[in-house]
Amino acid sequence: MTAAPLEATRGPAPRLDALPPEHTSGKWGMSLAILTEALLFLSLFFAYFYVRALHEDWLSQPPPKLALAFTLLVILLVSSGTVELSRHALERERAVAARAWLAGTIALGVLFVLVQLREYRERLEHLRPTTNAYGSLFYAITTFHALHVLVGLAMLVFVLALPRLRGAHAPKRPLENAALYWHFVDGVWICVVGLLYVLPRLGAR
């Protein structure tokens, strides 16, 4: 009895460029998601300091090298700049430039993952997750951050694949949300470098 009216009212899906412009609910949702992820990282950082206070032989291996860590930091900082250039270009309705800068950001993100894999390969020769408490937390924090990098890359690829819409229907909100998450990932890496790379070297002196 009820199937016929429902079937009768079902029409073709609306065109993407016929939908109303995005509102700010997506930005609020992304901000809350970032807040949740930030609390998770804070818990890991707290665990780092707590476990460190309980172990006198916290870092029995040579302190980590800074070269690759700072290389990764530079890559992410540059990628934050390119994603902002993409966002500003889209606001000026320069779609080609926006896509080019966004593709550059994605390339830098992929480069970050590749360099981190190289850093893991070198680091595993001296430190494994089962070596000591520092090794366990080192790999837990850095791999957790790497997962966030992959999630951020997936968001950026999604935005890059969106149709080339113009005016009020340009994908400005999706790009803003993805850029906001990407900046968060970059900011967390600054904390990771200070906590896992710089601080152990200062303690070893």
Side-chain angles (χ1 to χ4, degrees):
M1 297 295 291
T2 58
L6 289 175
E7 191 68 27
T9 57
R10 183 181 302 169
R15 289 172 52 88
L16 188 58
D17 55 1
L19 295 174
E22 302 97 332
H23 46 78
T24 58
S25 60
K27 188 173 183 179
W28 277 107
M30 179 59 69
S31 299
L32 292 175
I34 289 174
L35 177 61
T36 301
E37 299 300 309
L39 293 175
L40 292 176
F41 276 106
L42 285 176
S43 298
L44 287 172
F45 295 158
F46 175 81
Y48 177 91
F49 283 109
Y50 179 77
V51 176
R52 183 187 183 192
L54 298 179
H55 291 78
E56 295 181 357
D57 56 342
W58 172 246
L59 191 63
S60 57
Q61 290 74 29
K65 298 179 181 179
L66 298 180
L68 287 179
F70 280 112
T71 300
L72 292 168
L73 179 59
V74 170
I75 291 173
L76 283 186
L77 291 178
V78 173
S79 71
S80 277
T82 55
V83 77
E84 279 301 303
L85 289 172
S86 175
R87 191 175 65 83
H88 289 306
L90 188 60
E91 289 179 352
R92 296 178 177 85
E93 297 190 2
R94 297 169 56 194
V96 175
R99 288 178 179 274
W101 286 117
L102 186 57
T105 305
I106 294 171
L108 288 169
V110 173
L111 179 62
F112 176 91
V113 174
L114 295 176
V115 174
Q116 188 169 38
L117 288 175
R118 177 187 171 185
E119 199 267 347
Y120 274 171
R121 185 177 61 183
E122 295 181 2
R123 191 70 176 138
L124 283 169
E125 296 178 359
H126 308 283
L127 181 70
R128 296 181 179 275
T130 56
T131 301
N132 53 21
Y134 171 79
S136 178
L137 284 169
F138 175 87
Y139 289 105
I141 294 174
T142 54
T143 54
F144 192 58
H145 177 266
L147 289 175
H148 283 73
V149 172
L150 294 177
V151 171
L153 282 174
M155 293 181 184
L156 296 175
V157 170
F158 170 79
V159 175
L160 185 64
L162 288 175
R164 297 185 178 182
L165 306 179
R166 296 184 177 275
H169 297 281
K172 297 177 183 177
R173 294 290 186 189
L175 180 56
E176 288 179 0
N177 293 335
L180 185 63
Y181 188 88
W182 193 250
H183 293 321
F184 163 71
V185 170
D186 297 354
V188 170
W189 184 250
I190 296 175
C191 299
V192 171
V193 170
L195 192 67
L196 299 180
Y197 293 87
V198 177
L199 189 60
R201 294 187 70 87
L202 295 178
R205 294 181 179 179

